[in-house]
Short mmCIF file of all heavy atoms in Angstrom, two decimals:
data_model
loop_
_atom_site.label_atom_id
_atom_site.label_comp_id
_atom_site.label_asym_id
_atom_site.label_seq_id
_atom_site.Cartn_x
_atom_site.Cartn_y
_atom_site.Cartn_z
N ALA N 512 15.88 109.22 -80.84
CA ALA N 512 16.34 107.93 -80.32
C ALA N 512 17.50 107.37 -81.08
O ALA N 512 18.42 106.85 -80.51
CB ALA N 512 15.15 106.94 -80.32
N LEU N 513 17.45 107.52 -82.41
CA LEU N 513 18.50 106.87 -83.19
C LEU N 513 19.80 107.70 -83.04
O LEU N 513 20.92 107.09 -82.96
CB LEU N 513 18.11 106.92 -84.73
CG LEU N 513 18.93 106.09 -85.68
CD1 LEU N 513 18.90 104.65 -85.27
CD2 LEU N 513 18.54 106.27 -87.09
N ARG N 514 19.65 109.02 -82.91
CA ARG N 514 20.88 109.84 -82.65
C ARG N 514 21.50 109.49 -81.33
O ARG N 514 22.72 109.41 -81.25
CB ARG N 514 20.54 111.32 -82.73
CG ARG N 514 21.72 112.29 -82.63
CD ARG N 514 21.28 113.70 -82.88
NE ARG N 514 22.35 114.61 -82.89
CZ ARG N 514 22.82 115.30 -81.84
NH1 ARG N 514 22.16 115.11 -80.66
NH2 ARG N 514 23.82 116.09 -81.90
N ALA N 515 20.64 109.26 -80.32
CA ALA N 515 21.23 108.82 -79.01
C ALA N 515 21.92 107.50 -79.06
O ALA N 515 22.91 107.26 -78.37
CB ALA N 515 20.07 108.79 -78.03
N ASP N 516 21.37 106.60 -79.95
CA ASP N 516 21.91 105.20 -80.00
C ASP N 516 23.16 105.10 -80.79
O ASP N 516 24.14 104.35 -80.49
CB ASP N 516 20.82 104.26 -80.50
CG ASP N 516 19.71 104.00 -79.51
OD1 ASP N 516 19.84 104.62 -78.39
OD2 ASP N 516 18.80 103.26 -79.81
N ILE N 517 23.16 105.75 -81.98
CA ILE N 517 24.25 105.57 -82.90
C ILE N 517 25.06 106.87 -83.19
O ILE N 517 26.04 106.82 -83.95
CB ILE N 517 23.83 104.93 -84.26
CG1 ILE N 517 22.96 105.91 -85.09
CG2 ILE N 517 23.06 103.65 -84.06
CD1 ILE N 517 22.64 105.44 -86.41
N GLY N 518 24.62 107.98 -82.63
CA GLY N 518 25.37 109.22 -82.76
C GLY N 518 24.96 110.02 -84.03
O GLY N 518 25.55 111.02 -84.27
N GLN N 519 23.93 109.54 -84.75
CA GLN N 519 23.56 110.21 -85.98
C GLN N 519 22.04 110.02 -86.24
O GLN N 519 21.54 108.93 -86.11
CB GLN N 519 24.39 109.66 -87.12
CG GLN N 519 24.12 110.41 -88.47
CD GLN N 519 25.05 109.84 -89.57
OE1 GLN N 519 25.89 108.93 -89.33
NE2 GLN N 519 24.87 110.41 -90.75
N ALA N 520 21.42 111.14 -86.59
CA ALA N 520 20.00 111.07 -86.95
C ALA N 520 19.85 110.48 -88.33
O ALA N 520 20.76 110.56 -89.19
CB ALA N 520 19.34 112.43 -86.90
N PRO N 521 18.73 109.84 -88.69
CA PRO N 521 18.52 109.41 -90.03
C PRO N 521 18.31 110.50 -91.04
O PRO N 521 18.04 111.64 -90.65
CB PRO N 521 17.24 108.52 -89.92
CG PRO N 521 16.49 109.14 -88.82
CD PRO N 521 17.55 109.65 -87.80
N LEU N 522 18.43 110.21 -92.33
CA LEU N 522 18.02 111.12 -93.35
C LEU N 522 16.51 111.24 -93.28
O LEU N 522 15.80 110.21 -93.15
CB LEU N 522 18.43 110.67 -94.68
CG LEU N 522 19.92 110.50 -95.00
CD1 LEU N 522 20.14 110.01 -96.46
CD2 LEU N 522 20.64 111.82 -94.85
N LEU N 523 15.96 112.43 -93.29
CA LEU N 523 14.53 112.64 -93.16
C LEU N 523 14.04 113.24 -94.45
O LEU N 523 14.56 114.28 -94.94
CB LEU N 523 14.14 113.62 -91.99
CG LEU N 523 14.62 113.13 -90.61
CD1 LEU N 523 14.25 114.10 -89.54
CD2 LEU N 523 13.96 111.76 -90.29
N LEU N 524 13.00 112.64 -95.07
CA LEU N 524 12.39 113.07 -96.31
C LEU N 524 11.03 113.55 -95.97
O LEU N 524 10.13 112.71 -95.69
CB LEU N 524 12.41 112.00 -97.37
CG LEU N 524 13.69 111.30 -97.56
CD1 LEU N 524 13.51 110.15 -98.60
CD2 LEU N 524 14.87 112.22 -97.98
N LEU N 525 10.75 114.85 -95.96
CA LEU N 525 9.49 115.42 -95.58
C LEU N 525 8.88 116.18 -96.75
O LEU N 525 9.11 117.34 -96.99
CB LEU N 525 9.79 116.41 -94.41
CG LEU N 525 10.57 115.80 -93.20
CD1 LEU N 525 10.84 116.88 -92.18
CD2 LEU N 525 9.83 114.58 -92.59
N ASP N 526 7.96 115.45 -97.47
CA ASP N 526 7.33 115.93 -98.65
C ASP N 526 6.16 116.78 -98.29
O ASP N 526 5.22 116.32 -97.58
CB ASP N 526 6.95 114.78 -99.50
CG ASP N 526 6.61 115.22 -100.98
OD1 ASP N 526 7.09 116.28 -101.36
OD2 ASP N 526 5.82 114.51 -101.64
N GLU N 527 6.21 118.09 -98.74
CA GLU N 527 5.07 119.02 -98.47
C GLU N 527 4.77 119.03 -96.98
O GLU N 527 3.62 119.00 -96.50
CB GLU N 527 3.81 118.61 -99.24
CG GLU N 527 3.95 118.58 -100.72
CD GLU N 527 4.20 120.02 -101.28
OE1 GLU N 527 3.94 120.99 -100.66
OE2 GLU N 527 4.61 120.09 -102.51
N VAL N 528 5.85 119.09 -96.19
CA VAL N 528 5.69 118.99 -94.70
C VAL N 528 4.90 120.14 -94.10
O VAL N 528 4.28 119.96 -93.04
CB VAL N 528 7.07 118.88 -94.06
CG1 VAL N 528 7.84 120.25 -94.19
CG2 VAL N 528 6.97 118.47 -92.62
N ALA N 529 4.83 121.22 -94.78
CA ALA N 529 4.12 122.38 -94.19
C ALA N 529 2.64 122.25 -94.26
O ALA N 529 1.90 122.95 -93.61
CB ALA N 529 4.53 123.69 -94.96
N ALA N 530 2.11 121.24 -95.03
CA ALA N 530 0.68 121.06 -95.14
C ALA N 530 0.12 120.70 -93.72
O ALA N 530 0.63 119.86 -93.07
CB ALA N 530 0.37 119.97 -96.14
N HIS N 531 -0.93 121.35 -93.38
CA HIS N 531 -1.62 121.18 -92.10
C HIS N 531 -0.84 121.59 -90.88
O HIS N 531 -1.18 121.38 -89.73
CB HIS N 531 -2.02 119.64 -91.88
CG HIS N 531 -2.81 119.13 -93.04
ND1 HIS N 531 -3.97 119.67 -93.47
CD2 HIS N 531 -2.58 118.04 -93.80
CE1 HIS N 531 -4.42 118.99 -94.51
NE2 HIS N 531 -3.62 117.96 -94.70
N LEU N 532 0.36 122.26 -91.08
CA LEU N 532 1.09 122.86 -89.94
C LEU N 532 1.03 124.33 -90.05
O LEU N 532 1.34 124.93 -91.11
CB LEU N 532 2.54 122.39 -89.95
CG LEU N 532 2.82 120.92 -89.76
CD1 LEU N 532 4.38 120.67 -89.82
CD2 LEU N 532 2.29 120.40 -88.47
N ASP N 533 0.64 124.99 -88.92
CA ASP N 533 0.57 126.50 -88.95
C ASP N 533 2.03 126.98 -88.82
O ASP N 533 3.00 126.25 -88.61
CB ASP N 533 -0.34 126.99 -87.83
CG ASP N 533 0.08 126.51 -86.43
OD1 ASP N 533 1.30 126.28 -86.19
OD2 ASP N 533 -0.80 126.44 -85.58
N ALA N 534 2.16 128.31 -88.93
CA ALA N 534 3.48 128.93 -88.89
C ALA N 534 4.28 128.59 -87.58
O ALA N 534 5.44 128.38 -87.66
CB ALA N 534 3.32 130.42 -89.04
N GLY N 535 3.58 128.58 -86.44
CA GLY N 535 4.24 128.25 -85.25
C GLY N 535 4.78 126.86 -85.21
O GLY N 535 5.94 126.66 -84.73
N ARG N 536 3.98 125.88 -85.69
CA ARG N 536 4.51 124.53 -85.69
C ARG N 536 5.59 124.30 -86.75
O ARG N 536 6.49 123.47 -86.50
CB ARG N 536 3.35 123.57 -85.91
CG ARG N 536 2.63 123.20 -84.55
CD ARG N 536 1.94 121.92 -84.60
NE ARG N 536 1.52 121.45 -83.31
CZ ARG N 536 0.42 120.86 -83.00
NH1 ARG N 536 -0.50 120.67 -83.98
NH2 ARG N 536 0.11 120.41 -81.77
N ARG N 537 5.49 125.00 -87.87
CA ARG N 537 6.55 124.88 -88.86
C ARG N 537 7.89 125.36 -88.23
O ARG N 537 8.91 124.73 -88.36
CB ARG N 537 6.22 125.74 -90.09
CG ARG N 537 5.13 125.12 -91.00
CD ARG N 537 5.23 125.72 -92.41
NE ARG N 537 5.17 127.16 -92.44
CZ ARG N 537 4.04 127.82 -92.58
NH1 ARG N 537 2.87 127.14 -92.61
NH2 ARG N 537 4.04 129.15 -92.64
N ALA N 538 7.83 126.50 -87.56
CA ALA N 538 9.03 127.06 -86.96
C ALA N 538 9.53 126.08 -85.90
O ALA N 538 10.81 125.83 -85.80
CB ALA N 538 8.76 128.37 -86.31
N ALA N 539 8.66 125.48 -85.13
CA ALA N 539 9.03 124.47 -84.05
C ALA N 539 9.66 123.24 -84.71
O ALA N 539 10.72 122.73 -84.22
CB ALA N 539 7.87 124.08 -83.28
N LEU N 540 9.11 122.81 -85.86
CA LEU N 540 9.70 121.64 -86.54
C LEU N 540 11.11 121.95 -86.98
O LEU N 540 12.07 121.17 -86.79
CB LEU N 540 8.86 121.31 -87.69
CG LEU N 540 9.44 120.26 -88.67
CD1 LEU N 540 9.67 118.93 -87.98
CD2 LEU N 540 8.50 120.12 -89.92
N TYR N 541 11.30 123.15 -87.60
CA TYR N 541 12.65 123.49 -88.07
C TYR N 541 13.61 123.61 -86.96
O TYR N 541 14.83 123.18 -87.07
CB TYR N 541 12.60 124.77 -88.87
CG TYR N 541 11.66 124.77 -90.07
CD1 TYR N 541 11.01 125.98 -90.53
CD2 TYR N 541 11.29 123.57 -90.71
CE1 TYR N 541 10.14 125.99 -91.55
CE2 TYR N 541 10.42 123.57 -91.77
CZ TYR N 541 9.80 124.77 -92.17
OH TYR N 541 8.95 124.74 -93.18
N ASP N 542 13.22 124.18 -85.80
CA ASP N 542 14.12 124.23 -84.69
C ASP N 542 14.50 122.84 -84.22
O ASP N 542 15.70 122.69 -83.82
CB ASP N 542 13.44 125.03 -83.51
CG ASP N 542 13.26 126.50 -83.76
OD1 ASP N 542 13.93 127.00 -84.71
OD2 ASP N 542 12.48 127.16 -83.08
N GLU N 543 13.57 121.94 -84.17
CA GLU N 543 13.94 120.58 -83.69
C GLU N 543 14.88 119.88 -84.60
O GLU N 543 15.76 119.16 -84.20
CB GLU N 543 12.62 119.77 -83.36
CG GLU N 543 11.81 120.29 -82.26
CD GLU N 543 10.89 119.28 -81.66
OE1 GLU N 543 11.24 118.07 -81.68
OE2 GLU N 543 9.84 119.69 -81.14
N LEU N 544 14.59 120.04 -85.89
CA LEU N 544 15.49 119.44 -86.89
C LEU N 544 16.91 119.97 -86.76
O LEU N 544 17.90 119.20 -86.79
CB LEU N 544 14.99 119.67 -88.34
CG LEU N 544 13.64 119.04 -88.71
CD1 LEU N 544 13.17 119.52 -90.07
CD2 LEU N 544 13.78 117.50 -88.70
N CYS N 545 17.08 121.23 -86.60
CA CYS N 545 18.34 121.79 -86.44
C CYS N 545 19.05 121.36 -85.15
O CYS N 545 20.26 121.11 -85.07
CB CYS N 545 18.31 123.33 -86.54
SG CYS N 545 17.82 123.97 -88.21
N ALA N 546 18.23 121.29 -84.04
CA ALA N 546 18.83 120.85 -82.79
C ALA N 546 19.29 119.40 -82.84
O ALA N 546 20.24 119.02 -82.16
CB ALA N 546 17.77 120.96 -81.66
N LEU N 547 18.71 118.60 -83.70
CA LEU N 547 19.05 117.25 -83.90
C LEU N 547 20.29 117.13 -84.85
O LEU N 547 20.84 116.00 -84.99
CB LEU N 547 17.94 116.41 -84.50
CG LEU N 547 16.85 115.89 -83.55
CD1 LEU N 547 15.66 115.45 -84.33
CD2 LEU N 547 17.44 114.79 -82.66
N SER N 548 20.70 118.19 -85.51
CA SER N 548 21.62 118.17 -86.58
C SER N 548 21.19 117.10 -87.62
O SER N 548 21.99 116.38 -88.23
CB SER N 548 23.01 117.80 -86.03
OG SER N 548 23.46 118.75 -85.20
N ALA N 549 19.88 117.08 -87.91
CA ALA N 549 19.33 116.16 -88.86
C ALA N 549 19.39 116.70 -90.30
O ALA N 549 19.08 117.90 -90.52
CB ALA N 549 17.86 115.82 -88.52
N GLN N 550 19.80 115.87 -91.20
CA GLN N 550 19.82 116.29 -92.63
C GLN N 550 18.43 115.96 -93.19
O GLN N 550 18.11 114.81 -93.50
CB GLN N 550 20.90 115.53 -93.40
CG GLN N 550 21.16 116.22 -94.79
CD GLN N 550 22.30 115.56 -95.46
OE1 GLN N 550 22.72 114.47 -95.18
NE2 GLN N 550 22.84 116.28 -96.49
N ALA N 551 17.57 116.99 -93.15
CA ALA N 551 16.19 116.83 -93.62
C ALA N 551 16.01 117.42 -94.99
O ALA N 551 16.48 118.48 -95.24
CB ALA N 551 15.25 117.38 -92.60
N PHE N 552 15.37 116.74 -95.89
CA PHE N 552 15.03 117.26 -97.21
C PHE N 552 13.50 117.47 -97.29
O PHE N 552 12.71 116.57 -97.12
CB PHE N 552 15.40 116.20 -98.24
CG PHE N 552 16.91 115.91 -98.28
CD1 PHE N 552 17.51 115.08 -97.40
CD2 PHE N 552 17.80 116.54 -99.21
CE1 PHE N 552 18.90 114.77 -97.37
CE2 PHE N 552 19.14 116.31 -99.17
CZ PHE N 552 19.69 115.41 -98.29
N MET N 553 13.17 118.78 -97.42
CA MET N 553 11.78 119.21 -97.33
C MET N 553 11.34 119.88 -98.61
O MET N 553 12.12 120.56 -99.26
CB MET N 553 11.62 120.16 -96.16
CG MET N 553 11.99 119.57 -94.81
SD MET N 553 12.06 120.80 -93.48
CE MET N 553 13.67 121.56 -93.82
#
């Protein structure tokens, strides 16, 4: 929503983001972050 409104995604800080996510959801998360051109720190 923020990228649609201002043209840029926020900085995302995802600490131990893999916890409770299986391999499929981890891959899906990374795909979505890249599609957003989001600068995520994991």
